[in-house]
Amino acid sequence: HAVIEALKNPKRKILRVFLTEESKKNIHRKSPKKNLLENVKVYTQSHYSINASFKQKFQDESDIVNWVNTITHTDVCINLSSSIAVDACIVDTPVININFDPSDDPKIHQMIKDINSTWEHFSPLVKLNAFDMADSVDDILEGVLAYQTNKKEKEQARQKAAKLVISYLDANSGQRWLEAIEQLSNEI
């Protein structure tokens, strides 16, 4: 796992990281003798179980504010074919997408390549060249270092990616809904 390798590297200073609860547990399982997250600010978001109550399945206002602040103030978003890449593009945060599996399983490695290059939910974003595709842990680290000196790289491509998924980025969706409802009510 790229995050674990970065946390183990004494030459790297990781200040904060965004993980799911399960990823956090995996880090502790894979490194039980040393708390790799000891001096790191960890932001977590839980995966919800099928049996979770209705309220638990949705974010409340504070969850949304926390998420927006986290992705907005993140230096670089590192992800694996996730819609979080779109969130990052919306707020112009550079994205590094993982294009490999750190295990030596060629089937999983090929599946990740296929997801990024052919699957309908993600390949159109990849084709826009809106983010870096990391084929190794070294590529991830090089990408993070590069974005520290030039966060504006791929800025226009990120804007195109955001607009591909979200038609309006002007924060006026509520007003458009209201106008549509008013128009429909006038027609009835």
Side-chain angles (χ1 to χ4, degrees):
H1 193 275
V3 174
I4 293 172
E5 294 305 313
L7 290 166
K8 284 182 178 179
N9 185 342
K11 295 179 183 177
R12 303 276 311 152
K13 179 158 177 128
I14 310 276
L15 301 177
R16 57 188 172 253
V17 65
F18 184 82
L19 301 167
T20 63
E21 286 292 339
E22 189 60 32
S23 295
K24 189 175 170 183
K25 289 175 189 174
N26 280 338
I27 288 171
H28 289 304
R29 275 194 291 267
K30 291 184 180 187
S31 186
K33 293 182 181 177
K34 183 177 182 192
N35 182 359
L36 296 175
L37 301 172
E38 184 174 18
N39 297 316
V40 179
K41 176 65 178 157
V42 178
Y43 297 92
T44 60
Q45 183 173 357
S46 299
H47 282 273
Y48 302 112
S49 73
I50 292 174
N51 297 325
S53 73
F54 182 78
K55 180 165 175 30
Q56 289 175 315
K57 291 181 183 180
F58 297 94
Q59 295 177 329
D60 64 18
E61 185 176 351
S62 68
D63 292 331
I64 294 168
V65 168
N66 184 37
W67 174 247
V68 170
N69 281 318
T70 299
I71 197 68
T72 300
H73 299 290
T74 296
D75 295 323
V76 179
C77 172
I78 302 169
N79 84 106
L80 176 60
S81 311
S82 170
S83 61
I84 190 175
V86 177
D87 296 343
C89 288
I90 290 168
V91 296
D92 197 28
T93 295
V95 177
I96 298 172
N97 189 65
I98 298 170
N99 197 34
F100 69 98
D101 181 67
S103 75
D104 291 329
D105 187 333
K107 289 180 182 178
I108 295 174
H109 184 74
Q110 187 58 50
M111 182 185 73
I112 291 170
K113 294 271 189 199
D114 290 346
I115 290 170
N116 290 328
S117 63
T118 63
W119 287 26
E120 192 173 313
H121 88 286
F122 207 73
S123 64
L125 299 170
V126 172
K127 289 174 185 163
L128 288 174
N129 195 28
F131 30 80
D132 291 351
M133 299 299 287
D135 291 313
S136 67
V137 172
D138 288 340
D139 285 354
I140 294 170
L141 299 175
E142 287 172 20
V144 170
L145 292 174
Y147 279 124
Q148 285 179 339
T149 58
N150 184 10
K151 193 172 181 177
K152 295 293 182 186
E153 184 179 337
K154 300 190 179 198
E155 178 180 31
Q156 290 179 344
R158 285 193 298 273
Q159 290 171 359
K160 286 180 184 176
K163 288 179 183 174
L164 176 70
V165 178
I166 300 175
S167 300
Y168 300 100
L169 298 171
D170 59 6
N172 291 318
S173 294
Q175 183 63 38
R176 279 189 290 280
W177 271 98
L178 178 62
E179 290 168 3
I181 292 169
E182 286 175 345
Q183 183 179 354
L184 285 172
S185 68
N186 290 334
E187 293 174 5
I188 295 178

